[in-house]
Amino acid sequence: MSLPFSACRPHLQFVLDVPGDGAAAGLNGSSDPVRLAGRAGFSRLTGLTLAAARGGIDSIQIRGKNLPAGTLLEVTAAIIEAVRTERHQVLVLVNGRLDVALLAGADGVHLPEASFDPLRVPGCRRLALSTATGRPFLVGRSIHSHAAVTAPGTGRLDYLVFGHVFATPSKPGVPARGLAALARAASLAPVPVLGIGGITPANAAEVIQAGAAGVAVISAIRDASDPFEATLALRRSVDEARQARRERQGRQGGSREEEQ
Amino acid sequence: MERRVDLPSALSVYLIADAGLTAKSGRPLEEMVERAIEGGVTAVQLRAKELPAVEQWELGRRLRALTASLGIPFFVNDRIDLALALDADGAHIGEEDLPVAAARRLALAASRPEFVIGFSTAVLEWARQAVAAGADYVSVGNLFGTTTKPDAGRPIGLGPLTEIAREIPVPVIGIGGITDWSAPLVIEAGGAGVAVAAHVIESRDPAAAARSLAQAVERAKEGAAAAAGDFGNQLPERFADATPPQARSKRSGPEGSAPE
């Protein structure tokens, strides 16, 4: 497994949804030709990001579904700047828009399930190395089925996000997949699998116990009255769960599958 | 060998293949596009923002294959990553999309120095800045009222296009509700061509609609050349020259404040 998905530490990803209505989020992007003023509107987003970073997330996935690409680029740049200014070791990934991810100097791209293969973009990974930090450009993907887990090309990705595990207000009316499905996905997948969907400090441990390499959360951090504390609680839950799992396996004398 | 798009002539009858359009007729978009090319369309742009990325990719592949087989340039709206992945001849971006300079940077990094970048604006200053940042043509609209694009804004008539065509050194096209009677007005105002969507794609006979539009544009161009006497001399030097511009302005503007 590559470094960002270390066997020692479960991966905690914060999915930051950036609303499409710029006015509601305080973003001033669409009609201002200079757009410098837009930066002030990003403070809510960067504040949330920094709270999560201080609380111990490993990565942030910026999702701007209804955002014009220009605004998404600026939001991503602002978040990268905030994270790096405080020297957090947090990976910044952009959902979907590989062009934005490359131009902003992000650490990678996270693909929705219905995406095209980014390796078709000529020199995709080469481009990333030349634009940013020199570290490998990460590619993650969301999946919702076991067929997708074992599809050709999955082995080329850096991680998968499987969901949704628990019922979540983000997806009303769609039944949750459950822990058993997550466990199966984690065992079938050639790369690390994070669980997503209704994950909170109270149930995050079960996701790790089911074999996931980590968790991805949206509302557990964003809607918390104290996002920093919520992140700390998530961090504690998954770390303790991983520790318990290792001890259990150590007692069983089983294969040291986690120490690769 | 690098592909060259003969820009001024390619822009004469520019078809916007908008994925939302054929919902009415139920016929596949590619079929309508093929007929339109037979009738005289000179360039095709894929515009499918509302589709999932994988469907944009599939549709784009079919249109790229079709246009390539018929020798017609193919452009993609907004998504530079998709445009590069599809091996399109270029991309078309708007005021809210990625900055022109950023798009140009990505194309160069993907070893596509001849990649065409078009920019949409009705504001002279932004057209100037886009050209300085590397735009190869500018599209001005909404001229007369469009049914295709809900957020196109109120019609602006020919004034802005006339001014922009006069002031900037790259070809300018008009878009928005153009038909056979108004196409010649766009040419007489200094336009190099007209962009159309519903007028051709939702026609009962796309080939006939394209043909009469192409003839109207041709007649108007001959008339304008005869009247001006030096139409050919208005073509900027760089379209005869294979070398892409190297030095790009770093000013902000429609470029926003995205990092270089």
Side-chain angles (χ1 to χ4, degrees):
Chain A
M1 289 192 274
S2 57
L3 195 56
F5 299 92
S6 155
C8 303
R9 173 169 156 117
H11 194 99
L12 178 54
Q13 180 174 99
F14 173 37
V15 179
L16 178 66
D17 274 329
V18 183
D21 178 0
L27 303 174
N28 176 15
S30 40
S31 55
D32 181 347
V34 176
R35 285 205 287 247
L36 284 169
R39 294 262 176 157
F42 300 156
S43 60
R44 185 183 68 80
L45 297 170
T46 54
L48 194 49
T49 300
L50 289 173
R54 293 169 194 149
I57 56 170
D58 297 294
S59 65
I60 180 167
Q61 184 200 139
I62 302 170
R63 207 157 71 169
K65 259 195 195 152
N66 298 317
L67 280 191
T71 309
L72 181 59
L73 179 61
E74 291 182 12
V75 169
T76 304
I79 286 175
I80 290 174
E81 189 185 322
V83 161
R84 290 188 183 151
T85 301
E86 287 196 4
R87 300 182 185 281
H88 292 289
Q89 296 300 310
V90 172
L91 300 167
V92 179
L93 299 124
V94 178
N95 182 290
R97 292 291 303 241
L98 174 60
D99 45 3
V100 173
L102 291 169
L103 287 164
D107 298 294
V109 66
H110 183 93
L111 304 174
E113 185 153 40
S115 287
F116 61 92
D117 182 355
L119 293 178
R120 291 188 180 275
V121 179
C124 157
R125 293 196 193 235
R126 187 172 39 95
L127 278 180
L129 289 175
S130 69
T131 53
T133 57
R135 290 182 303 190
F137 190 75
L138 300 169
V139 182
R141 190 179 201 118
S142 289
I143 49 151
H144 303 91
S145 70
H146 296 120
V149 169
T150 51
T154 303
R156 279 203 307 251
L157 302 170
D158 292 288
Y159 72 95
L160 297 171
V161 172
F162 180 86
H164 53 288
V165 179
F166 304 113
T168 166
S170 313
K171 288 201 194 299
V174 182
R177 304 302 309 276
L179 284 168
L182 170 67
R184 180 139 190 270
S187 69
L188 288 174
V191 297
V193 176
L194 311 184
I196 194 172
I199 295 176
T200 66
N203 61 28
E206 298 168 72
V207 179
I208 300 302
Q209 282 154 14
V215 301
V217 300
I218 311 172
S219 51
I221 293 178
R222 181 195 63 203
D223 298 342
S225 51
D226 188 338
F228 168 66
E229 289 294 340
T231 307
L232 280 182
L234 280 162
R235 183 81 260 165
R236 255 196 315 270
S237 289
V238 297
D239 286 349
E240 283 169 5
R242 173 62 64 87
Q243 185 56 28
R245 190 172 149 90
R246 287 166 66 106
E247 283 168 5
R248 208 167 45 243
Q249 285 169 333
R251 279 199 301 277
Q252 289 163 359
S255 63
R256 295 281 180 182
E257 70 199 7
E258 292 188 355
E259 294 175 21
Q260 291 184 4
Chain B
M1 183 168 123
E2 279 173 17
R3 203 167 30 211
R4 296 274 170 265
V5 174
D6 180 13
L7 252 194
S9 54
L11 299 174
S12 288
V13 186
Y14 189 158
L15 181 66
I16 311 296
D18 191 302
L21 278 183
T22 49
K24 264 194 211 170
S25 68
R27 284 177 289 176
L29 186 59
E30 310 89 276
E31 185 187 315
M32 311 304 270
V33 170
E34 184 167 9
R35 299 204 186 141
I37 294 174
E38 283 164 14
V41 152
T42 55
V44 175
Q45 181 192 126
L46 169 65
R47 197 168 179 280
K49 287 189 184 194
E50 56 290 344
L51 294 182
V54 68
E55 289 178 37
Q56 294 187 40
W57 161 256
E58 296 295 338
L59 176 57
R61 274 206 310 176
R62 295 194 293 273
L63 289 176
R64 167 73 289 184
L66 172 67
T67 51
S69 70
L70 297 172
I72 297 292
F74 174 62
F75 304 110
V76 175
N77 186 272
D78 177 31
R79 290 200 67 150
I80 311 302
D81 49 357
L82 183 64
L84 291 171
L86 289 171
D87 198 32
D89 295 291
H92 190 90
I93 57 189
E95 291 160 6
E96 299 186 339
D97 297 331
L98 286 173
V100 170
R104 176 62 67 199
R105 226 170 31 153
L106 212 48
L108 287 172
S111 305
R112 293 288 311 275
E114 84 298 351
F115 193 77
V116 172
I117 295 174
F119 183 69
S120 286
T121 185
V123 178
L124 175 60
E125 184 49 35
W126 300 357
R128 282 203 180 107
Q129 291 180 21
V131 172
D136 298 299
Y137 73 88
V138 169
S139 170
V140 183
N142 157 25
L143 300 189
F144 307 117
T146 171
T147 54
T148 306
K149 197 165 177 255
D151 56 346
R154 293 171 59 192
I156 59 176
L158 288 164
L161 183 143
T162 309
E163 187 188 32
I164 290 171
R166 190 180 55 228
E167 298 291 329
I168 65 172
V170 302
V172 173
I173 61 176
I175 188 169
I178 295 172
T179 60
D180 291 358
W181 73 263
S182 55
L185 303 178
V186 175
I187 304 303
E188 285 156 25
V194 298
V196 290
H199 175 72
V200 168
I201 293 177
E202 291 190 333
S203 159
R204 237 169 301 148
D205 188 344
R211 191 167 299 116
S212 60
L213 197 61
Q215 285 167 356
V217 168
E218 264 327 292
R219 273 197 302 268
K221 281 192 172 180
E222 286 160 15
D230 64 345
F231 184 78
N233 293 343
Q234 289 173 22
L235 294 175
E237 264 187 322
R238 48 201 277 254
F239 293 108
D241 179 354
T243 311
Q246 294 299 317
R248 299 290 177 191
S249 164
K250 292 188 179 193
R251 285 180 296 154
S252 61
E255 303 305 282
S257 52
E260 285 299 307

